Amino acid sequence: MSDCLFCKIFKKEISSRIVYEDNEIMAFEDINPQAPVHLLIIPAKHIESINDIKEEDKELIGKMFLIAKKIAKEKGLSESGYRTIFNTGKDAGQAVFHIHLHLLGGRKMSWPPG
Ligand code: AMP
Ligand code: ZN
């Protein structure tokens, strides 16, 4: 997807503050953080949303959570807690249609989300 923001971030055509990268997955700081730690974990593969995940993607999606766990530990969030979110579609406020896992932590969060 040549005009996708997060494809460009993965390919480093747009700069970001990267906290993790390998050939399949990257994590970087959200440009508009909603918590002291607010990272986005994305796959290199352009998948628009959860609605578009295929059977063949299950390992990749699982790996996104393992990376969330690893980063949460590095950031000292494992005990205090953190939130992981996939926004899907209009009602959830999805703004970028390249699947991304939000990792938020470092403050007490309320429930239910707004
Ligand atoms: P969502 O609403 O789930 O689609 O989230 C998109 C997220 O991407 C928002 O939290 C934005 O702040 C974030 N975002 C948009 N552009 C950039 C960018 N260039 N670098 C980092 N984060 C971004
Ligand atoms: Zn993309």
Side-chain angles (χ1 to χ4, degrees):
M1 286 289 288
S2 55
D3 62 346
C4 168
L5 176 64
F6 287 177
C7 281
K8 286 180 178 166
I9 284 181
F10 197 97
K11 289 185 271 181
K12 300 183 182 169
E13 292 168 10
I14 291 175
S15 66
S16 66
R17 294 168 68 108
I18 298 167
V19 299
Y20 175 90
E21 62 181 319
D22 63 31
N23 61 339
E24 290 183 309
I25 289 174
M26 175 187 277
F28 56 95
E29 293 179 4
D30 196 293
I31 206 166
N32 182 23
Q34 301 301 312
V37 176
H38 186 177
L39 306 172
L40 300 173
I41 300 166
I42 63 167
K45 183 175 179 183
H46 182 86
I47 301 167
E48 290 203 354
S49 77
I50 288 182
N51 286 337
D52 305 290
I53 293 171
K54 297 192 172 75
E55 185 71 20
E56 70 203 36
D57 299 321
K58 63 186 178 190
E59 245 183 78
L60 182 63
I61 301 300
K63 186 176 168 185
M64 291 170 75
F65 283 98
L66 288 173
I67 289 163
K69 171 189 157 181
K70 171 181 151 60
I71 297 170
K73 190 170 184 197
E74 286 167 4
K75 298 281 183 186
L77 299 173
S78 300
E79 298 305 317
S80 53
Y82 52 95
R83 194 166 283 176
T84 42
I85 303 164
F86 284 109
N87 289 322
T88 303
K90 187 161 48 72
D91 278 0
Q94 184 177 3
V96 180
F97 283 79
H98 179 128
I99 201 166
H100 49 282
L101 181 60
H102 292 259
L103 169 57
L104 297 126
R107 67 168 171 84
K108 178 95 177 126
M109 278 171 259
S110 58
W111 191 264

